[in-house]
Amino acid sequence: MSTNDDDLSRALDALKAPRASDDLMVRVLADAALQQGRREPLRPSDLLMARVMSDARTVAAGRRRREGWAWGGIAAACAVGLLVGVADPGGVVAAVAPEAYAIEDLSGVYAFQLAEVVE
């Protein structure tokens, strides 16, 4: 038996692992791509971030408008309550409150209760 280069090449080719199928290579490459994706954190595109910020500004402006109206309503209710309580236009408070709870009587009761707590 003579050994020449062709015989040696055939013998070495026989020892090598068989060539992987195309399906196996596709799966290996897909796994490699997944691993590469896991190493690098996902980052949104600049276009998406611009859209998110635009939507956030729109929502915040609407919220500020609604909060402004709410605080205005609270201030108006406080002003009307103070006006009705102090000025008592047309005897509104006196007409609604029973005679037993006149303003003078309440101030004396509160002073008496406060005196008991202090002593």
Side-chain angles (χ1 to χ4, degrees), residues 5 14 31 33 37 46 50-51 58 63-65 83 85 93 100 104:
D5 291 335
D31 288 345
D46 293 336
R51 173 87 186 268
T58 303
R63 183 175 294 140
R64 281 192 298 270
R65 227 180 353 266
L83 176 71
V93 176
E104 295 82 23

Side-chain angles (χ1 to χ4, degrees), residues 34-79:
L34 283 175
Q35 287 299 326
Q36 182 69 24
R38 288 182 184 140
R39 278 190 226 133
E40 296 175 7
L42 295 177
R43 293 188 183 154
S45 68
D46 293 336
L47 183 62
L48 176 65
M49 288 306 296
R51 173 87 186 268
V52 168
M53 292 304 295
S54 173
D55 290 347
R57 284 188 200 102
T58 303
V59 169
R63 183 175 294 140
R64 281 192 298 270
R65 227 180 353 266
R66 283 191 308 271
E67 287 176 359
W69 281 104
W71 282 111
I74 291 171
C78 288

Side-chain angles (χ1 to χ4, degrees), residues 61-116:
R63 183 175 294 140
R64 281 192 298 270
R65 227 180 353 266
R66 283 191 308 271
E67 287 176 359
W69 281 104
W71 282 111
I74 291 171
C78 288
V80 168
L82 189 61
L83 176 71
V84 168
V86 172
D88 191 18
V92 174
V93 176
V96 174
E99 292 296 323
Y101 295 108
I103 300 296
E104 295 82 23
D105 292 341
L106 289 177
S107 64
V109 171
Y110 285 142
F112 179 72
Q113 289 175 353
L114 182 63
E116 283 182 3

